Amino acid sequence: MRPPGIGVLSVEIGEITRDLAATIENALADYPSHSVSLNVDSVGGDWNASRRIFEAIVAHDKRVSAQIAKAYSGAALIVMAADRRVMPPHGTFFLHWPAGDTTQAYLADVAAKKAELIASRCRVPTTRLLRLMRENSLLDAEQALHYGLVHAVPGMKSPSNVTVFL
């Protein structure tokens, strides 16, 4: 886990846009000695912006925590950059196959990259994440905890191993 900072940079994640990505990248550059607290209640947004935010947070030298009410689509990727992820019992994760006005090959590449980035930050294999994305999976807090997508859900015991839900 990264060391704590001298202060805390608090970031609200709602709709994910290029402007939000630029704001977060600039804030992290302006406050390199601060820890980061992400408050996430998002249905997602722009894939490239999500990737940029994820990469900027992963590269940050100080501790990053995330409080997650709702992490859908690109927001699910962003929260995975945090060292500590906490979701309330009513919180949700949504993993889905990318959609858009482009080729199926490009969308498959986006899905593979997103699954690879998420897998790099938790105990779920890329192949399982891709399956969850293909199935457009809405995961409740208990499932997110058991998959290792979050570290804690108040009132629930953290499992010692990943649980696979069939």
Side-chain angles (χ1 to χ4, degrees):
M1 185 179 302
R2 293 173 271 201
I6 61 169
V8 177
L9 178 63
S10 181
V11 180
E12 299 290 326
I13 306 284
E15 182 181 358
I16 301 165
T17 64
R18 290 183 203 145
D19 288 343
L20 178 64
T23 298
I24 292 172
E25 289 168 333
N26 291 334
L28 293 174
D30 290 344
Y31 297 95
S33 299
H34 283 60
S35 294
V36 177
S37 174
L38 302 172
N39 296 302
V40 183
D41 190 354
S42 175
V43 295
D46 183 89
W47 151 249
N48 287 311
S50 299
R51 183 187 42 77
R52 284 174 48 201
I53 295 167
F54 173 88
E55 290 171 352
I57 293 170
V58 167
H60 189 65
D61 289 335
K62 300 302 179 195
R63 190 168 299 155
V64 179
S65 62
Q67 296 291 325
I68 308 153
K70 177 172 51 195
Y72 292 9
S73 191
L77 173 63
I78 292 169
V79 301
M80 296 309 295
D83 300 303
R84 182 86 175 142
R85 300 178 295 274
V86 179
M87 178 178 274
H90 62 277
T92 52
F93 249 86
F94 182 57
L95 301 172
H96 70 92
W97 197 258
D101 220 9
T102 187
T103 68
Q104 290 302 311
Y106 175 77
L107 295 175
D109 286 344
V110 168
K113 182 62 176 173
K114 186 174 178 181
E116 177 185 314
L117 292 172
I118 292 173
S120 74
R121 306 291 292 181
C122 70
R123 302 173 293 176
V124 181
T126 303
T127 53
R128 180 64 179 149
L129 287 165
L130 284 168
R131 186 175 315 138
L132 289 168
M133 291 167 67
R134 277 190 209 97
E135 296 168 353
N136 293 323
S137 301
L138 181 63
L139 306 175
D140 63 26
E142 182 178 14
Q143 290 170 313
L145 180 65
H146 282 272
Y147 273 124
L149 298 171
V150 297
H151 296 106
V153 174
M156 291 184 194
K157 185 177 183 219
S158 294
S160 57
N161 297 306
V162 173
T163 303
V164 176
F165 296 90
L166 301 177

